[in-house]
Amino acid sequence: MRFSPDKMQKNELFSSPQIEADLFCLEPGQVQRPQKFLKSDRIYFILEGIGRFTIGRATRELRSGTAVVVPAGNEHGVVNMAEERLTLLVTTAPPEKPAA
């Protein structure tokens, strides 16, 4: 795990043509800006902390030990609104760059 006071850190765990996995590490107040993947599903598993997730127009707060699935084509993002660090295991299948 790697955190930075400047911005969210994406730490690559592994990547293959079918799936990739990363650790997203957010200090309090940091965000993963909204993005959209046209052909990929994404799963966020909260390892520690509390995150506010926006998927499409819906927003929900999730805590450690829970997960959320973002189907392809949905804009999504996360904010660490808590006073402690937020660590997420993020899988993307298949790997894809976010749509512009």
Side-chain angles (χ1 to χ4, degrees), residues 16-96:
S16 78
Q18 292 81 30
I19 191 169
E20 68 181 16
D22 302 290
L23 286 178
F24 286 11
C25 298
L26 296 90
E27 294 282 6
Q30 291 181 339
V31 302
Q32 177 212 354
R33 285 181 255 131
Q35 57 185 326
K36 183 190 304 188
F37 293 91
L38 300 177
K39 299 177 183 177
S40 300
D41 293 337
R42 219 171 208 196
I43 300 171
Y44 290 83
F45 181 79
I46 298 86
L47 295 171
E48 61 181 10
I50 303 168
R52 180 178 295 154
F53 291 80
T54 301
I55 303 168
R57 295 177 187 225
T59 299
R60 45 195 266 211
E61 194 172 275
L62 298 172
R63 298 177 177 274
S64 60
T66 60
V68 63
V69 176
V70 180
N74 286 279
E75 187 171 79
H76 60 282
V78 63
V79 178
N80 182 359
M81 300 297 293
E83 294 182 19
E84 69 260 3
R85 290 176 162 176
L86 174 62
T87 307
L88 310 168
L89 173 61
V90 182
T91 57
T92 307
E96 174 185 6

